Amino acid sequence: MAYSEKVIEHYEKPRNVGTFGTQKEIKERTDIGVGLVGAPECGDVMQLQIKVDDNTGRIEDAKFKCFGCGSAIASSSLATEWLKGKTLDEGMKIKNTEIVEELSLPPVKIHCSVLAEDAIKSAIADYKQKNSKN
Amino acid sequence: MRAELPKLPMYLDYAATTPCDPRVVEAMFPYFTEKFGNPGSRNHSFGWDAEEAVTKARQQVAELIGADPKEIIFTSGSTESNNLAIKGAANMYAKKPTGHTQRGHIISVIHEHKAVLDPCKRLEKEGFEVTLIDPQSDGTVTREMIEAVIRDDTILVTVMWANNEIGTFNEVPEIGALCHERGIIFHTDATQWVGKMPTNVKKDNVDLLSLSGHKMYGPKGIGALYVRRRRPRVRLMALQEGGGQERGFRSGTSNVTGIVGLGKACELCAADMDAQRQRLGALRDKLETKITNALDVVQVNGHPDKRLAHLTNISFGFVEGESLMMALKEIAMSSGSACTSASLEPSYVLKALGVGDDLAHSSLRISMGRWTTEEEIDYAGDKIIEAVNKLRDLSPLYDMHNEGIDITKIEWAAH
Ligand SMILES: Cc1ncc(COP(=O)(O)O)c(C=O)c1O
């Protein structure tokens, strides 16, 4: 498998790796939305966390962890970069095809970009759901 | 800091194929050019020279496995040897002719190489019945396991000697004895075994044995099938017909250069097998100890002792195989990933051992050989540990594990 330079670059220096706390802590925080997508038996799991500024409604920080191939790692790393500074609506507009293009993913790796889009949508939905209750 | 780094890329995939030993290449060389004759040419010196070389090589192969030279059939490799042995014996000992069902029962194991499984599948389509048993969770197959599935109409048992992914040995001599008691033909795919372990087809009760040149420092495209001539005298239906070479078992002008190379490779293996086994076993143990001491949730697959000395198969929990290979791209190894994203084909060998999803996702098969050095193994060990740690820093699953969350209890949305 030959990877594009951008994939290798993200893989070697992934951006924004980490979490805003343990799973338990994160559950209780209303300023954070979490997307956990994929499945271990399929070979990729992405966890994306966004921290939203209550006043501006913008994503002030994003972090990821990823169990998966180099393209999955690069897709989630890129997603965190793109999310920072965006509003939730802008975040919802990120398309997997843009990730494919940016990273020059080959057809067999398109599912990695789909997963990253799912992770973004699911993190935003989680944030919205947490904040609709109160 | 290390004074000298080993040369990169580093080759630790000797179970996939080996480089030719320069002494092998040297022995082959004259047979390309000045001694190019056809061993079938009976009436000039070119033919005689070639014939003499083939006779010598047959002797060298026979000696390595305790056979009579007349019992060695040269083939293009283990794939062909397996096909000839399995299809050839099944068709020869069939209970009913082609076109019928219930032609006979064949026993094999699910973690065999595809070059055994696929011929068995073919025979299934042609009216034979095939039972594939599961190995034990340590990868081994015992006499009792075969005995439990033998039937009155069993005509052939085929069980590999050492497995190519995990290196585990099966009870070949015991299974052979059982087959002889029951009048069943016994074949073993010994591709990974021969040249590394002492072999005596007579004492080990083998009727048919496949071996391959390129796994033992010989050239690619040459191998042999041992066909027992006494007690029992094994007969086979040839797959390939023509000039009647190789006692009619395998027609076609002999691959003289390949045969000479295989012969030399066998002679060299016989000479240094014991020393290499000791040397590589110590390196293997050093590597395994280093890795298991440095990392948690790792598992060495297969039987702890009944296995090849130069090979180890290690699973690393919570990291994915392809990304691990990417981190280790300067070291050539095999990935037994249970789920390589490109093919989505799980390692059926590891699955057969019941390796769980948490561990099956990335395993490395590291196999060493004649030119592997201690420096290389030290370097590879450091790099593997570094790569696993790097990927675990990235792995949400490893975090969950450390927080005491059981990932098998989470409802994952499979895609
Ligand atoms: C156990 C086993 N059987 C058969 C083969 C096929 O051998 P060859 O490449 O000589 O056809 C291999 C090698 O890949 C093997 O490891």
Side-chain angles (χ1 to χ4, degrees), chain B residues 154-166:
Chain B
T154 304
I155 54 172
L156 173 68
V157 171
T158 170
V159 175
M160 73 199 322
W161 212 324
N163 180 273
N164 48 299
E165 279 192 39
I166 51 175

Side-chain angles (χ1 to χ4, degrees), chain B residues 15-17 76-82 112-116 160 162-165 189-192 210-215 220-223 365:
Chain B
T17 195
S76 64
S78 279
T79 301
E80 185 187 337
S81 296
N82 288 345
E112 290 283 325
H113 194 272
K114 296 286 182 197
V116 165
M160 73 199 322
N163 180 273
N164 48 299
E165 279 192 39
D189 176 352
T191 310
Q192 298 286 349
S210 304
L211 63 89
S212 182
H214 74 99
K215 307 284 188 186
K220 294 170 182 57
I222 187 73
R365 180 189 71 181

Side-chain angles (χ1 to χ4, degrees), chain B residues 134-255:
Chain B
D134 289 311
Q136 304 185 100
S137 62
D138 63 16
T140 56
V141 177
T142 64
R143 173 187 161 122
E144 287 69 39
M145 293 162 68
I146 299 296
E147 199 158 20
V149 293
I150 282 184
R151 312 192 314 210
D152 288 343
D153 63 342
T154 304
I155 54 172
L156 173 68
V157 171
T158 170
V159 175
M160 73 199 322
W161 212 324
N163 180 273
N164 48 299
E165 279 192 39
I166 51 175
T168 310
F169 311 154
N170 298 316
E171 284 186 358
V172 161
E174 293 82 356
I175 295 169
L178 167 70
C179 290
H180 285 171
E181 286 160 25
R182 304 290 184 92
I184 298 166
I185 300 296
F186 176 52
H187 167 251
T188 186
D189 176 352
T191 310
Q192 298 286 349
W193 169 280
V194 167
K196 280 98 187 179
M197 296 294 291
T199 308
N200 186 309
V201 285
K202 299 270 141 43
K203 285 197 208 124
D204 297 332
N205 308 311
V206 173
D207 294 334
L208 293 161
L209 175 146
S210 304
L211 63 89
S212 182
H214 74 99
K215 307 284 188 186
M216 43 197 280
Y217 314 101
K220 294 170 182 57
I222 187 73
L225 178 66
Y226 156 79
V227 184
R228 183 183 277 264
R229 271 163 65 93
R230 254 187 219 99
R231 292 194 293 163
R233 181 186 182 88
V234 177
R235 293 172 308 145
L236 298 175
M237 198 100 96
L239 299 178
Q240 172 165 318
E241 287 152 335
Q245 288 89 346
E246 298 299 303
R247 292 174 38 232
F249 284 120
R250 206 270 189 176
S251 287
T253 298
S254 310
N255 170 2

